[in-house]
Amino acid sequence: MPDTFMGIDIAARALRAFQMALNVTGHNLANVDTEGYSRQRIDIQQTPPITFFGMRPLTLGTGQFVNTVMRVRDQFLDGRYLQTNYEGSRLSQLSTSLGTIEGIYQEPGPNGLQSSLSAMFDAWSQLSANPADDAARLQVRLQSQLFVQRVHDINAQFAQYGKQLDGEVNATITQINAIAKQISDLNIQIRSLSVSGASPNDLMDQRDLAIQKLTDLVDVRTVDHLDGTKTVYVGSHTLVDQFGSYDLPSQYDANSSTVTDGTKVIQIKGGRLAGEFGGIVALGNYQTQLDSLVNSVRTQVNLLHETGINLNGTTGIDFFAGSVGAGDLDLSQEMKDDIRNIAAGTSGEPGDGTLASSIAGVRDLPDPNLGNRSVMDYYANTISQLGQESAYYQNGLQTQQAMLSQIDQQRQSVMGVNMDEELANMLKYQRSYQAAARFLTVLDQTTEDLISQFGR
Amino acid sequence: MRISTSQQFASLKQQIMDAQERVDLYQTRMSTGIRVSKPSDDPFAALGILTLSSAKSKSDQHQSTATAASNNLKMAEARLGEMTDVMQQAKTIVIQGANGATDQQGRIALAAQIDALQQRLVQSANGQDGSGHYLFAGYKVTTKPFVPDSSVVNNYIRYDGDQGKQIVEAGPGTLLQSNMLIDQQVTDAYNALEDAKQRLQAGDASGLSGVTLQKIDDAAANLLNTRGEAGVMIQQFDDAAAAATRRSDEFTKQISDKQDADLIDTVTNLQRAQTAYQASLAALTVANGLTLLDYLKP
């Protein structure tokens, strides 16, 4: 025969279980908007039945117990989310970098290099038609100075942005290492709890959120372990394992998109870090194109100008100073000193504008150093290339964001809290608790009947 | 599909922000009137805009060069007209001098008139443009080109200019000469006048009616021809200026086609974006209004 108080045990366990279920529901509701939170489910199972051997063997259920509280999460969707996230983050950074370079060029518009180049060559053309006019000479010098100024402006902004990107790379690596430390700390706490058989859901959520934040910065690969911990790799580098975290080295080479500690070379393929490397490479590319353009203008104008005789009767004078790239472009000292040092012709006579006409024609001359393009074509091509590159990353980013949002929706569909669902569960557990309590009352009454009515 | 509450709000929020961004985009296009404000807005159009802007700037320069050259040539043409007048007057004087009815005293007086005409000829040949540069000096525009000088062999006037031809670009690949070299014509005319003066002073009536008249006629004809050439050159530059203006206008239109926002398109898109924005705001309110909380007993 079953024990007299067996029912009370059943009722007590049920009350405890439903109380706990209500707590889990409350926890879910409280975390409805917590980032990285995965909803938790209470797993209630039947207790083993007891079999009584009387006239016939009789098996009676003994109620239930709380097996575990688990988090609901889809590992596969998590993996896809991380992958999409670091690619999106790379594209986002690249798109920002290219957008910044576009902003520096200020094309198409009146403040761009194209219009100052045009104005300079137009001034030469003007001088060729009015070689004896001081006003035309002044105009050539003024427009050339404006061109030099615009080149310096762009060059300085390139240099500054390069410095900024270098600082950002260092900050990103520091941040990666800080998050790695955080993940490692969480791993250690998770392991110490899970060896005792517990399921530290909330710590795991925090750890997974930290990994997700890490994929904003760099491409990572994770491996799960039975003790609930995760190992995190960046390329060939183990960033975090069960025992600790290992800093990503800060020495980098943007061209090959790698970081190194001097011996080990780690390839970076994703995240903001890869985007920053890409930005540095793009900046270098546009710096080279600016230098080539400036060198071409300087060399071609100087070669012609040297052959001229100016109004002071001297020849062999350079118009532009400097020799390498945009950085040292300037007007020669002679041009700054005296506009009569500008040679408009080859005869030295004031009405000779033949040379000025040739110099004005430089804008359309194909230059082998510019791939047989003229300076104007070369520049237009640079800007078009910049536009295409920038648009490419913007489009890629949009696609990636749409994918990320779709995956996140699926992921949230599994792990996110639905308030109505929790409220319905709350009602269910409340009623269940009430039923268990009522059952206890009934048992209490029958026991009371037994005690007080018998043997009176 | 199971909906997570925070995801529901997050995606509603995202939709509102996206809608706002689109409204902003079309509003900016409306207010600036510009569709391509940076190369990535339309890389292909950006390439065209830069190439066209460069071409337009050059066309504007051609237009200004051609107009200036035309104006300068008009001044030269006027001076040439003056010189032709001088020769016409000289012809009248020479015919009068060759007439038997004119006595020697009369011829001396006529010689003085020729002398005055010589000075007028030189004055016109040394004509200057608005900035004081000589019109007929070749490249030596700051040197007075014509100086009467009896020490020159066979001539009575010296040319201090050179044979520099000012060539200017008045269109793509259109190189035109913008100055006139008339040293030969002026020298011939001056010498013819000198001849007339001397024969008048010497009373050589037959020489005046023969050799001198021929020389004056020839010189006058040459000056007239040269003036005609100036007219042709002016016409060429005027045509070039008109062509440059047409090209520039065409480039302006093409740049505008590539760069500027289509107003009707933009207005339609803005309207659509605003409607979507309103709808997304309404969706948030509706979603927020429905929750089980409202139906639970307190």
Side-chain angles (χ1 to χ4, degrees):
Chain A
M1 275 298 287
D3 180 357
T4 314
F5 296 117
M6 186 181 125
I8 292 181
D9 280 346
I10 293 174
R13 273 199 302 273
L15 284 173
R16 268 202 305 274
F18 292 129
Q19 180 110 53
M20 208 178 285
L22 276 171
N23 283 335
V24 170
T25 305
H27 187 52
N28 280 342
L29 280 172
N31 284 298
V32 66
D33 201 30
T34 305
E35 194 186 3
Y37 179 78
S38 30
R39 67 191 164 109
Q40 296 181 6
R41 276 285 156 265
I42 188 163
D43 178 26
I44 296 174
Q45 288 187 7
Q46 291 152 288
T47 39
I50 301 174
T51 306
F52 301 98
F53 296 95
M55 299 203 12
R56 298 173 68 91
L58 198 62
T59 304
L60 272 187
T62 56
Q64 38 88 308
F65 73 108
V66 176
N67 181 36
T68 180
V69 176
M70 59 187 179
R71 57 181 196 150
V72 185
R73 215 172 161 113
D74 186 325
Q75 296 292 333
F76 171 72
L77 285 173
D78 275 355
R80 278 192 64 198
Y81 183 88
L82 295 185
Q83 219 171 355
T84 315
N85 191 40
Y86 63 67
E87 178 58 8
S89 178
R90 181 183 80 94
L91 291 170
S92 162
Q93 175 60 41
L94 271 169
S95 160
T96 305
S97 289
L98 268 300
T100 305
I101 297 175
E102 278 191 280
I104 292 174
Y105 269 118
Q106 294 190 47
E107 296 287 4
N111 301 323
L113 195 55
Q114 198 262 356
S115 73
S116 67
L117 258 176
S118 272
M120 179 174 73
F121 285 121
D122 285 346
W124 278 107
S125 183
Q126 180 81 27
L127 178 62
S128 82
N130 309 282
D133 252 3
D134 277 355
R137 285 170 183 274
L138 278 171
Q139 186 69 1
V140 164
R141 184 167 72 179
L142 176 71
Q143 293 300 344
S144 304
Q145 267 166 342
L146 289 175
F147 167 68
V148 168
Q149 210 174 320
R150 188 74 197 108
V151 164
H152 282 177
D153 200 24
I154 294 174
N155 198 54
Q157 288 188 64
F158 275 180
Q160 199 199 340
Y161 189 50
K163 218 177 275 176
Q164 184 190 329
L165 280 175
D166 176 65
E168 281 179 16
V169 165
N170 289 324
T172 304
I173 293 177
T174 309
Q175 219 176 331
I176 289 170
N177 291 333
I179 295 178
K181 177 82 178 51
Q182 203 185 331
I183 294 172
S184 170
D185 289 350
L186 285 162
N187 257 350
I188 290 165
Q189 290 183 53
I190 288 165
R191 190 170 48 161
S192 66
L193 284 170
S194 57
V195 288
S196 64
S199 172
N201 295 323
D202 300 289
L203 292 175
M204 287 171 161
D205 279 352
Q206 281 178 35
R207 194 256 333 268
D208 291 347
L209 181 63
I211 291 176
Q212 183 184 318
K213 292 221 184 300
L214 194 59
T215 56
D216 286 344
L217 308 177
V218 69
D219 57 312
V220 298
R221 202 160 43 84
T222 60
V223 173
D224 292 17
H225 300 291
L226 284 173
D227 59 4
T229 61
K230 279 184 178 174
T231 301
V232 181
Y233 299 99
V234 174
S236 56
H237 176 73
T238 309
L239 191 66
V240 182
D241 65 10
Q242 290 136 294
F243 309 106
S245 68
Y246 313 93
D247 279 358
L248 197 64
S250 59
Q251 207 179 318
Y252 70 89
D253 174 42
N255 283 314
S256 58
S257 193
T258 52
V259 293
T260 180
D261 55 4
T263 49
K264 193 167 63 169
V265 177
I266 303 150
Q267 187 76 42
I268 306 296
K269 288 180 183 152
R272 199 167 76 198
L273 190 57
E276 283 157 357
F277 288 158
I280 292 173
V281 172
L283 188 63
N285 172 25
Y286 289 104
Q287 175 76 61
T288 308
Q289 296 200 25
L290 178 69
D291 287 342
S292 300
L293 179 83
V294 167
N295 284 339
S296 172
V297 171
R298 173 166 47 208
T299 311
Q300 292 191 79
V301 170
N302 278 350
L303 276 178
L304 285 167
H305 195 264
E306 280 165 11
T307 65
I309 300 175
N310 61 29
L311 291 184
N312 293 323
T314 40
T315 182
I317 296 179
D318 278 344
F319 184 79
F320 287 117
S323 56
V324 279
D328 65 354
L329 178 74
D330 203 351
L331 293 191
S332 68
Q333 194 53 47
E334 289 88 345
M335 297 308 129
K336 289 181 186 168
D337 289 344
D338 186 1
I339 49 166
R340 290 172 59 85
N341 279 330
I342 299 174
T346 47
S347 63
E349 297 301 343
D352 182 2
T354 46
L355 190 70
S357 177
S358 305
I359 292 176
V362 161
R363 63 172 135 189
D364 295 324
L365 279 186
D367 182 355
N369 294 320
L370 301 179
N372 274 326
R373 286 200 181 91
S374 68
V375 287
M376 296 317 266
D377 284 352
Y378 183 80
Y379 181 68
N381 212 63
T382 298
I383 295 303
S384 173
Q385 187 196 335
L386 174 61
Q388 277 168 27
E389 214 174 333
S390 180
Y392 173 79
Y393 291 127
Q394 281 172 30
N395 291 340
L397 177 61
Q398 273 172 11
T399 313
Q400 210 67 20
Q401 273 171 343
M403 265 171 71
L404 192 67
S405 140
Q406 201 195 351
I407 296 170
D408 195 36
Q409 217 159 17
Q410 291 174 0
R411 205 167 68 117
Q412 290 297 335
S413 170
V414 175
M415 66 184 256
V417 176
N418 180 312
M419 218 147 66
D420 288 346
E421 182 188 20
E422 296 301 329
L423 290 171
N425 281 342
M426 191 173 80
L427 285 180
K428 183 175 78 181
Y429 294 135
Q430 187 187 9
R431 292 298 183 200
S432 303
Y433 186 87
Q434 283 169 352
R438 166 60 63 190
F439 174 51
L440 189 60
T441 318
V442 169
L443 277 182
D444 184 39
Q445 272 172 2
T446 50
T447 314
E448 191 195 339
D449 286 349
L450 185 72
I451 293 170
S452 58
Q453 311 268 332
F454 264 103
R456 264 222 305 196
Chain B
M1 189 164 101
R2 194 179 165 276
I3 301 292
S4 126
T5 304
S6 83
Q7 176 75 11
Q8 184 188 12
F9 280 93
S11 71
L12 282 168
K13 197 173 73 186
Q14 190 59 48
Q15 277 159 20
I16 290 172
M17 277 159 65
D18 287 352
Q20 251 177 354
E21 202 180 316
R22 273 197 299 277
V23 170
D24 181 65
L25 171 75
Y26 293 119
Q27 259 171 359
T28 312
R29 275 193 194 173
M30 278 275 282
S31 55
T32 61
I34 284 177
R35 185 179 65 89
V36 183
S37 60
K38 53 185 193 303
S40 57
D41 288 342
D42 186 343
F44 186 69
L47 177 69
I49 292 163
L50 287 194
T51 314
L52 288 165
S53 305
S54 170
K56 176 178 150 47
S57 162
K58 234 163 49 169
S59 289
D60 290 345
Q61 182 55 42
H62 287 148
Q63 193 269 336
S64 120
T65 301
T67 309
S70 165
N71 288 340
N72 249 19
L73 281 167
K74 276 173 191 152
M75 283 190 260
E77 190 193 27
R79 298 289 161 273
L80 284 164
E82 288 166 13
M83 289 185 248
T84 318
D85 285 352
V86 164
M87 297 316 281
Q88 291 300 338
Q89 290 177 32
K91 189 178 175 181
T92 319
I93 291 168
V94 168
I95 290 169
Q96 202 182 336
N99 193 328
T102 310
D103 63 5
Q104 187 53 28
Q105 206 176 355
R107 290 203 177 97
I108 298 288
L110 290 174
Q113 285 186 32
I114 293 285
D115 192 70
L117 287 177
Q118 267 185 319
Q119 284 171 32
R120 273 177 56 195
L121 180 82
V122 173
Q123 213 173 8
S124 295
N126 283 334
Q128 288 162 297
D129 66 14
S131 19
H133 296 126
Y134 293 100
L135 292 165
F136 304 110
Y139 286 159
K140 297 185 156 186
V141 294
T142 50
T143 309
K144 187 185 270 193
F146 294 100
V147 182
D149 183 355
S150 53
S151 68
V152 188
V153 184
N154 293 331
N155 290 318
Y156 296 89
I157 191 162
R158 194 177 78 228
Y159 177 56
D160 284 350
D162 62 12
Q163 298 299 320
K165 292 177 180 169
Q166 286 176 7
I167 307 287
V168 299
E169 198 182 71
T174 311
L175 295 174
L176 296 174
Q177 188 175 343
S178 67
N179 67 339
M180 306 209 65
L181 299 169
I182 57 163
D183 53 310
Q184 197 55 53
Q185 291 89 320
V186 171
T187 306
D188 288 351
Y190 192 88
N191 286 345
L193 293 178
E194 186 66 29
D195 185 68
K197 192 165 77 182
Q198 286 178 11
R199 285 186 207 271
L200 280 169
Q201 280 162 349
D204 179 3
S206 65
L208 280 173
S209 63
V211 181
T212 305
L213 204 55
Q214 188 58 46
K215 277 185 180 171
I216 285 182
D217 274 347
D218 287 352
N222 279 342
L223 283 170
L224 202 61
N225 275 344
T226 310
R227 191 185 169 188
E229 277 170 30
V232 172
M233 285 160 77
I234 289 167
Q235 191 57 50
Q236 281 177 335
F237 277 113
D238 286 349
D239 288 352
T245 308
R246 269 199 310 278
R247 274 198 310 279
S248 179
D249 289 350
E250 179 57 28
F251 290 141
T252 307
K253 185 180 164 296
Q254 287 181 21
I255 291 170
S256 161
D257 283 352
K258 289 193 192 300
Q259 185 162 27
D260 295 351
D262 182 325
L263 194 62
I264 296 171
D265 254 17
T266 311
V267 171
T268 317
N269 284 331
L270 179 61
Q271 193 61 53
R272 193 179 302 155
Q274 272 173 340
T275 311
Y277 181 39
Q278 274 172 351
S280 64
L281 287 175
L284 180 67
T285 333
V286 172
N288 195 27
L290 280 176
T291 165
L292 192 54
L293 279 172
D294 294 344
Y295 301 94
L296 292 179
K297 271 185 268 174

